[in-house]
Amino acid sequence: MSTRDPVGARRLTAQLLAGPPARDPLAVAQRLLAIQGQDPRGARLAIRARSRGVSAADVDRALTEERSLLITWLNRGTLHLIRSEDYRLLHLLTTPQLRTSSSTRLAQEGLDARDTDRGLAVIERALGTDGPLTRQDLAGRLEQAGIPTGGQALIQLLHRAGVEAIAVRGPMVGREHAYVRVDDWLGPAPALDRDRALAELARRYLAGHGPADERDLARWAGMALRDARTGLEAIASELKTLPGGLVDLAGRRAAPAPAPRLLGAFEPLLLGWVSREPVLGEHPERVVVGGIFRGFALVGGRAVAVWRLRGTEVELEPFAPLEPPVAGALAQDARAVREFLGLG
């Protein structure tokens, strides 16, 4: 995704990695629509890289006090950080297709349909009466009711509670992310027209990921290609067609190249399109290892190193020797990462 490539430059702009930064976590979530969230630090670092004057504590405040952000299982069956007001749209379009695989995984953990229904009823009743509750709290309630929680049974039941719009991860309770009952936390569900929702999903996806095509949208959302195509066709008058069959929202202008920056684990820049080659080039195996997406350094739209926290220090592993100005800029950004995370 070289910044000299018009498509790459537009995508970096769409992703808020080039151009004016966002001023709060909510604005980042609004632009990206859904930020992969199974790695809590990675999701927060995605917000850091796209904003200014924001800390990880601000993300926790949005989750806990403002109720403006939440985390739940959506696109592709994985946890995502989203705006609370986008929950109904994403849940409608990206979760029905998850039920079959969910039932298979539950059965593998020894939970048949009857056990699953009983488990979901226990979760909903506990959250309605005593929520928010942590995963450990819910495990205790399920075990008291005779519902197995060993192995992956608990996480699969919680996943199914997300798919069925029973529960989401809402506030932080200490250092744990607690679960809440959806209707208690967000209020009653409004009626949504599916065709209009598909159009809105396509529009919002392109806002944070354009240029792209129908395959990219389908891959990102975990939806059928025909649904991605329907959504894009519905907003055709709002789009600009680019070479290679890609489309983007009309009127977008690419911003200047961003400064070197450290991006976190499960970074959205690697998860929004079918191909990661524009970003990773010849180094995909250095960044994606066994399904884990490592944090990496972005320079000129390309990954040039991976990094990790060792204690409170940032440890960088370049793919090749870095020019002194680049190394200096990344060292400065490493200090910003530590400040954002409250590591001193």
Side-chain angles (χ1 to χ4, degrees):
M1 194 175 289
S2 168
T3 53
R4 293 185 293 272
D5 167 28
V7 169
R10 291 172 76 102
R11 285 180 175 174
L12 290 171
T13 304
Q15 283 272 300
L16 286 174
L17 291 170
R23 296 188 177 274
D24 57 58
L26 200 62
V28 178
Q30 178 179 15
R31 176 66 73 87
L32 298 189
L33 186 55
I35 300 166
Q36 198 150 322
Q38 74 265 49
D39 184 302
R41 178 178 285 169
R44 287 160 174 78
L45 288 171
I47 289 174
R48 181 207 78 91
R50 294 162 169 84
S51 59
R52 180 179 298 158
V54 172
S55 70
D58 294 323
V59 180
D60 291 351
R61 184 162 43 253
L63 288 163
T64 304
E65 299 174 17
E66 300 167 6
R67 301 192 184 189
S68 55
L69 296 176
L70 61 82
I71 290 180
T72 193
W73 285 274
L74 295 163
N75 310 28
R76 308 181 304 280
T78 56
L79 287 166
H80 281 79
L81 173 69
I82 64 169
R83 293 193 310 169
S84 298
E85 65 184 273
D86 292 327
Y87 170 77
R88 302 295 185 183
L89 171 74
L90 288 164
H91 187 272
L92 172 69
L93 297 177
T94 72
T95 60
Q97 54 268 42
L98 303 177
R99 289 191 174 94
T100 299
S101 61
S102 170
S103 295
T104 299
R105 292 297 306 276
L106 285 161
Q108 291 170 347
E109 297 299 326
L111 296 166
D112 60 20
R114 182 173 177 273
D115 290 331
T116 297
D117 288 344
R118 288 178 57 227
L120 295 178
V122 168
I123 291 170
E124 184 166 22
R125 184 165 57 250
L127 293 177
T129 303
D130 299 318
L133 295 172
T134 66
R135 184 166 73 170
Q136 185 176 357
D137 293 333
L138 289 170
R141 303 298 180 91
L142 289 163
E143 289 163 4
Q144 289 174 7
I147 307 296
T149 62
Q152 293 294 308
L154 174 60
I155 196 64
Q156 292 303 321
L157 273 172
L158 293 172
H159 173 273
R160 187 56 173 261
V163 170
E164 299 298 339
I166 293 170
V168 295
R169 293 188 184 186
M172 300 299 297
V173 175
R175 300 185 68 176
E176 292 191 63
H177 206 164
Y179 291 84
V180 289
R181 187 171 173 268
V182 170
D183 288 349
D184 293 340
W185 197 248
L186 302 180
L192 294 178
D193 176 82
R194 193 170 189 277
D195 287 341
R196 291 183 180 179
L198 285 171
E200 180 63 9
L201 180 70
R203 183 181 295 112
R204 295 286 304 284
Y205 166 75
L206 287 177
H209 300 83
D213 64 19
E214 59 195 25
R215 295 171 303 146
D216 296 319
L217 171 54
R219 174 71 171 269
W220 176 82
M223 66 184 352
L225 186 60
R226 64 178 178 275
D227 286 336
R229 186 178 299 122
T230 295
L232 290 170
E233 288 174 350
I235 61 169
S237 63
E238 305 172 31
L239 305 181
K240 176 179 180 178
T241 302
L242 302 173
L246 301 177
V247 295
D248 198 4
L249 296 179
R252 191 195 312 272
R253 295 182 179 179
R261 194 166 306 171
L262 295 177
L263 304 179
F266 293 94
E267 161 59 34
L269 192 62
L270 299 182
L271 298 165
W273 303 271
V274 170
S275 175
R276 302 183 188 108
E277 191 278 333
V279 178
L280 299 185
E282 300 176 356
H283 306 286
E285 74 286 348
R286 299 288 299 273
V287 179
V288 185
V289 182
I292 302 299
F293 289 70
R294 301 178 67 187
F296 64 97
L298 186 76
V299 177
R302 288 274 193 167
V304 301
V306 291
W307 68 277
R308 63 178 177 176
L309 279 170
R310 185 180 291 276
T312 61
E313 298 300 320
V314 172
E315 185 177 88
L316 195 68
E317 300 175 18
F319 303 152
L322 301 174
E323 296 291 332
V326 170
L330 291 175
Q332 182 178 353
D333 203 44
R335 290 191 288 272
V337 166
R338 296 175 66 248
E339 181 180 357
F340 172 85
L341 295 173
L343 298 178

